[in-house]
Amino acid sequence: MRIEDVYVWDINAKWLGISPFQLMENAGSGVARTIEERFGKGLRIAVFSGTGNNGGDGFVTARHLSFDNEVTLFLVGDEVKIRSEEARHNWEILKRLDFVEIKVLKDSAYIRNLDLSGYDVIVDALLGAGTKGEPREPIRSAIEKINEYAGRVKIVSIDLPSGYPSQIRVKADFAVTFQWDKEEYEGFERVVVKIGYPRELSHLVGPGDARFALRKRGQHKGQNGKLLVIGGSENYYGAPYLTSKAASYLVDLVYLAMPSLPAGKITDPDLILRPFDGENFSIEHLNGLLELAEKVDAVVIGSGMGLEDETKELVREFVRRCERPMVIDADGLKAVAGSLDILRGKTFVLTPHAGEFKVLFGVKPPESLLERAELVRAKSEEIGGVVLLKGPYDVISDGKTWKYNRTGNRGMTTGGTGDVLAGLVGALLALGNEPLRSASVGAFLNGLAGDLTAEELGENFTAIEIIKRIPKAVKWVEEF
């Protein structure tokens, strides 16, 4: 697991109702328990805390250790800079305790003359994993002071040695890190303690995933994603329009390629329309579509394209030759069924419902979530890409891990919601997200926008109403 996953899981845990206060309490108690298991009780312990959440973990650790040990808490910095509500809450508790000595070290002058030789254990809770570059004063002086006692006093860091990975770091005997080891950590001993994350967080898609996926990359037009949507036929124009319109709320530019007959019905100025001669797509349009694809970051293909033989031939050949990340949806899925070998080496997301899944893979998805997830994972591994199986719970896998999404409601059985989903997934690919995250967050946002729609309108609405609430869903994620 990565450091980024910590932030994703914390946000998703809050969404499940597990408060940051609970997580901080469990983290601090886990550190205290580890120290007493390693070194016993009746100790003199110095806890050095910064003003961030790592320091908050230190406040809780000090409180738990104070029952059987003599504890001094050194706050490095000004207490007015204690940022989060949960860290401040635990600081205020400490200040009410008579048997924890508190010393505030506002600047490095307070630190240089400290004598720590009487302590058995020093706890480092100065900086967390989000810190970049070398530590600044007064944290730097605190790190240097702690390191004067390396080898003479046991030094325990919370999560990681403060200052890591810079050269100015605490020389800890070990670090107590939380829930899992981090793949970025190396060169120091770690003890992993659980802090109350439930099993669901290994697989559930939530606002934490969405917050990271929606990050903007640049400040100029086109730097935040360009998407090509290929769809439409003589009988259908609404589906590719819904796909394109949904995507337009997330990326800078959306190109909509359609046969000229249905394209004549589209008048939306937010989309860049690219009509191709005729009533339906055919192989003669291949080179023009491939040229368009070279100008964008990702492609969605299949919405409303129909099932004419010449159209299915175009889809297969386009997929075979396209080098951009792709979402293959709706009629596009039926076109590639039986020719899944053309997906080898491609970056793609398939978005079938249960019926389309059976057409693709010859097997009906089971009802059980775990059985369904294992089937999707196995088929994703077989084809070397991501499968998003739509349903009451969307199940997504890249063949290695699997995710599930539980946003959405019964009103979303209305036609067009799958087209909206394809547009969101395509937009997230165009923003530079890897396919598993794009598919997972696309499903989450689609369901969230649907839930926001249901709150306002009840469970009778159309897909265009969901699209109108995509900005509201994004705002909800950013503010959560």
Side-chain angles (χ1 to χ4, degrees):
M1 304 291 281
R2 302 163 298 176
I3 293 172
E4 181 180 296
D5 295 317
V6 177
Y7 301 103
V8 171
W9 280 43
D10 281 352
I11 295 167
N12 290 350
K14 181 181 176 183
W15 185 49
L16 288 177
I18 303 166
S19 76
F21 294 91
Q22 289 173 275
L23 295 175
M24 184 170 284
E25 184 68 24
N26 292 344
S29 65
V31 174
R33 185 170 59 251
T34 302
I35 289 172
E36 291 185 336
E37 287 172 353
R38 289 278 185 113
F39 308 128
K41 300 176 182 178
L43 305 170
R44 290 199 67 207
I45 300 174
V47 179
F48 280 78
S49 281
T51 56
N53 271 5
N54 192 260
D57 294 338
F59 302 154
V60 177
T61 300
R63 170 162 48 83
H64 280 270
L65 287 171
S66 72
F67 191 82
D68 287 306
N69 305 278
E70 296 296 323
V71 177
T72 302
L73 188 288
F74 295 96
L75 178 67
V76 181
D78 193 326
E79 69 173 285
V80 301
K81 295 182 179 178
I82 296 174
R83 292 189 289 273
S84 73
E85 187 180 354
E86 56 270 25
R88 176 154 291 282
H89 172 77
N90 283 295
W91 169 249
E92 294 298 331
I93 291 174
L94 273 190
K95 290 199 297 183
R96 297 188 193 104
L97 304 183
D98 293 321
F99 296 103
V100 174
E101 185 178 5
I102 295 176
K103 296 184 178 180
V104 179
L105 309 173
K106 289 188 177 181
D107 59 54
S108 54
Y110 291 88
I111 298 169
R112 294 193 184 101
N113 296 324
L114 280 179
D115 181 1
L116 305 177
S117 58
Y119 293 100
D120 303 299
V121 179
I122 297 173
V123 179
D124 156 36
L126 293 168
L127 297 173
T131 308
K132 306 296 183 185
E134 290 192 351
R136 296 189 293 271
E137 294 291 359
I139 297 291
R140 184 182 183 120
S141 289
I143 291 172
E144 291 169 349
K145 175 57 67 174
I146 292 170
N147 285 344
E148 288 178 20
Y149 295 86
R152 293 186 282 160
V153 177
K154 296 299 182 182
I155 301 173
V156 179
S157 290
I158 296 182
D159 195 23
L160 79 171
S162 291
Y164 178 91
S166 81
Q167 295 303 307
I168 310 299
R169 69 178 78 167
V170 168
K171 296 174 182 177
D173 290 273
F174 63 89
V176 180
T177 193
F178 306 121
Q179 202 71 29
W180 62 78
D181 202 3
K182 319 302 189 292
E183 64 185 47
E184 294 95 336
Y185 291 179
E186 60 181 10
F188 61 94
E189 182 185 344
R190 276 93 68 196
V191 176
V192 179
V193 299
K194 293 180 180 177
I195 59 172
Y197 289 134
R199 183 181 177 188
E200 277 80 357
L201 289 177
S202 296
H203 302 290
L204 183 65
V205 187
D209 304 87
R211 187 176 296 180
F212 278 87
L214 290 166
R215 288 177 296 187
K216 297 289 188 179
R217 294 185 300 182
Q219 298 182 359
H220 301 286
K221 185 169 68 175
Q223 290 181 336
N224 293 303
K226 292 176 284 187
L227 180 69
L228 170 62
V229 176
I230 302 171
S233 62
E234 60 182 325
N235 296 316
Y236 303 105
Y237 72 93
Y241 173 72
L242 293 172
T243 298
S244 305
K245 189 65 177 176
S248 70
Y249 284 106
L250 299 188
V251 296
D252 288 349
L253 299 171
V254 179
Y255 296 87
L256 173 53
M258 296 179 69
S260 55
L261 178 66
K265 300 176 182 180
I266 305 296
T267 58
D268 192 325
D270 291 331
L271 308 177
I272 303 170
L273 197 60
R274 291 290 182 264
F276 283 73
D277 289 342
E279 299 178 346
N280 299 291
F281 276 118
S282 66
I283 196 68
E284 68 187 37
H285 300 129
L286 176 63
N287 289 335
L289 291 171
L290 288 171
E291 287 177 12
L292 266 181
E294 290 177 3
K295 301 176 182 178
V296 300
D297 302 300
V299 178
V300 180
I301 186 168
S303 304
M305 290 187 77
L307 299 174
E308 299 290 332
D309 288 341
E310 59 185 6
T311 303
K312 291 195 287 186
E313 180 187 5
L314 167 74
V315 172
R316 288 190 292 270
E317 195 58 32
F318 179 88
V319 170
R320 182 180 285 112
R321 292 177 56 180
C322 181
E323 299 301 323
R324 295 289 185 263
M326 289 176 280
V327 179
I328 304 173
D329 183 46
D331 294 334
L333 295 170
K334 299 179 182 70
V336 301
S339 304
L340 295 179
D341 58 303
I342 65 176
L343 298 172
R344 292 295 174 194
K346 302 294 181 181
T347 301
F348 64 90
V349 177
L350 306 183
T351 56
H353 53 58
E356 291 165 337
F357 189 93
K358 186 175 182 181
V359 170
L360 284 167
F361 302 112
V363 57
K364 181 182 178 181
E367 294 299 320
S368 159
L369 174 62
L370 291 179
E371 291 177 4
R372 201 175 178 91
E374 176 50 32
L375 178 62
V376 174
R377 189 208 61 75
K379 295 305 179 184
S380 298
E381 184 179 31
E382 280 181 21
I383 63 174
V386 169
V387 175
L388 191 176
L389 174 58
K390 296 178 284 194
Y393 277 7
D394 306 305
V395 177
I396 311 101
S397 181
D398 60 357
K400 297 184 283 291
T401 187
W402 63 271
K403 298 282 188 179
Y404 75 105
N405 169 61
R406 61 191 202 189
T407 59
N409 56 78
R410 290 176 300 179
M412 296 182 70
T413 57
T414 188
T417 58
D419 302 308
V420 175
L421 171 61
L424 292 173
V425 176
L428 289 160
L429 277 176
L431 285 171
N433 295 287
E434 49 89 22
L436 180 64
R437 174 165 282 179
S438 297
S440 302
V441 173
F444 174 81
L445 284 176
N446 188 47
L448 177 60
D451 289 341
L452 294 172
T453 305
E455 284 180 15
E456 292 183 41
L457 305 178
E459 290 188 337
N460 295 288
F461 51 82
T462 62
I464 202 71
E465 296 296 338
I466 297 175
I467 291 174
K468 290 176 184 177
R469 286 159 183 84
I470 289 171
K472 188 175 180 180
V474 172
K475 187 171 186 285
W476 182 92
V477 165
E478 292 172 343
E479 295 178 351
F480 184 81

